Amino acid sequence: MDTTTKRASSKKGERVSKTTIKRGGGFWKLFKQQRYLYLMSLPFVIWAFIFSYVPLWGWTMAFQNYKPAKSFFDQKWVGFDQFTALFADQQFYLALRNTLAMSFMGLIFGFVVPVIFAILLNEVKGMFFKRTVQTVSYLPHFVSWVVVAGIVTKSLSTDGGIVNELLVSMHIIDQPIQFMAQGKWFWGIVTASDIWKEMGWNTIIYLAAITGIDQEQYEASRVDGAGRFRQMWHITLPGMRTTITVLLIMSIGHLVSIGFEKQFLLGNNLVQDYSQVLDLYALKYGLEMNRYSYGTAISIFNSVISIILLFTANGIFKKTTKESIM
């Protein structure tokens, strides 16, 4: 290697070294400037670590024949036997069907309705009426599912239920229908109840996104002769796209993790084949029967499928709409 080449290589190495030092110094300088923000976020990092990551140690139970009276090192390891039993149980597939059915219905209607409601509410000019409707719509969010289930059950009752009385008085039906005793109605009842309870609350974030839209766009569209419907379609809805995309991706990630409160409170033995979801299946065939390892295997299945759905949805939206949450 000649002298010129050596000098060039030496200078290049010095530049790389200086750049690295500069980058490192820039990070510590930024850390020093924003040290109070880091200190403020530290409790939340600790909270997430303790309650979200430390419990993952319990997943080891899914690979054991767990006995509460024994220590961790005395447990019998069974490998994937719990998962084999899970995928061989017909009740698991029944619970998975119900979970996916109610999840997709909730995703479609429970996601679209708040968006439409937010857009329509934004078009209301009277501020008093607008605030009144918004307040009334999100109040059910603060009502527990125990109370909501009681209201829904009473409203659909054959003995003085307002729904049956209204249908009979309008001559739509000849006699009251036992809505809560027929499995074919259960998915729709759960979805409608969830929409009524959460629609107003979910609308708040969409209204916040609408307020961030530049008002000059509406003024320019009115000058060009655009009506209110065209403004909603070409300005309001595109202005909400980022918020809608992020919330949609997060909702898809929770398709198989819908909880069990609604199904547990609204269900009964007559509609068990339609009300049992994965979380209820884990509760019944895991905890109640002291099969802790089996219940843990169900929870792992839920988590893994949720992660796969989240990354898949995020990847699809990232390629198609250039929007993502990661």
Side-chain angles (χ1 to χ4, degrees), residues 65-207:
N65 186 16
Y66 180 77
K67 301 297 181 183
K70 296 182 179 180
S71 66
F72 176 80
F73 298 100
D74 294 331
Q75 301 293 338
K76 180 182 178 182
W77 294 86
V78 295
F80 291 92
D81 288 356
Q82 303 295 343
F83 294 93
T84 302
L86 176 66
F87 295 132
D89 189 0
Q90 294 298 321
Q91 289 296 321
F92 164 72
Y93 294 101
L94 182 65
L96 181 61
R97 181 203 68 176
N98 297 335
T99 302
L100 292 177
M102 281 182 274
S103 295
F104 277 111
M105 290 176 67
L107 179 65
I108 295 172
F109 296 102
F111 193 84
V112 174
V113 171
V115 173
I116 297 175
F117 183 66
I119 294 175
L120 296 178
L121 192 61
N122 182 65
E123 295 298 318
V124 177
K125 300 304 180 182
M127 291 303 298
F128 177 78
F129 179 75
K130 179 179 180 179
R131 291 176 179 176
T132 302
V133 172
Q134 185 178 357
T135 303
V136 172
S137 65
Y138 71 66
L139 281 179
H141 170 79
F142 300 99
V143 180
S144 69
W145 267 109
V146 177
V147 178
V148 173
I151 295 174
V152 172
T153 302
K154 182 61 180 177
S155 300
L156 298 177
S157 174
T158 56
D159 184 16
I162 186 173
V163 175
N164 275 306
E165 289 191 353
L166 183 63
L167 294 176
V168 171
S169 64
M170 297 177 64
H171 303 288
I172 297 177
I173 58 176
D174 297 329
Q175 56 184 2
I177 300 175
Q178 295 182 340
F179 290 101
M180 304 304 296
Q182 300 185 40
K184 64 181 181 179
W185 296 104
F186 186 79
W187 294 348
I189 292 173
V190 170
T191 303
S193 303
D194 194 29
I195 292 174
W196 173 76
K197 187 176 185 298
E198 303 295 342
M199 178 187 67
W201 183 258
N202 295 333
T203 301
I204 295 175
I205 192 169
Y206 298 117
L207 287 173

Side-chain angles (χ1 to χ4, degrees), residues 240-312:
M240 301 166 60
R241 188 184 68 177
T242 301
T243 303
I244 293 174
T245 302
V246 171
L247 294 180
L248 181 58
I249 293 173
M250 296 178 65
S251 299
I252 292 175
H254 291 86
L255 272 179
V256 295
S257 301
I258 60 173
F260 66 91
E261 294 88 352
K262 304 184 287 288
Q263 294 78 12
F264 180 76
L265 295 169
L266 291 172
N268 53 68
N269 292 331
L270 297 175
V271 296
Q272 185 175 0
D273 290 343
Y274 294 87
S275 64
Q276 183 169 261
V277 292
L278 286 175
D279 288 335
L280 272 178
Y281 176 73
L283 179 65
K284 181 177 180 180
Y285 291 92
L287 296 180
E288 290 184 3
M289 300 176 66
N290 296 325
R291 300 170 65 189
Y292 302 107
S293 298
Y294 192 73
T296 306
I298 300 172
S299 299
I300 291 177
F301 173 83
N302 281 353
S303 300
V304 171
I305 296 300
S306 297
I307 292 173
I308 293 174
L309 289 173
L310 178 63
F311 278 93
T312 302

Side-chain angles (χ1 to χ4, degrees), residues 4-37:
T4 305
T5 306
K6 289 182 178 180
R7 290 178 179 175
S9 300
S10 177
K11 291 181 179 179
K12 183 177 180 181
E14 290 178 0
R15 287 197 299 269
V16 173
S17 178
K18 289 180 179 179
T19 303
T20 304
I21 294 173
K22 186 177 180 180
R23 288 179 180 175
F27 169 76
W28 289 111
K29 184 178 180 181
L30 180 64
F31 178 81
K32 185 178 180 180
Q33 292 175 348
Q34 300 183 357
R35 58 186 180 277
Y36 296 113
L37 294 177

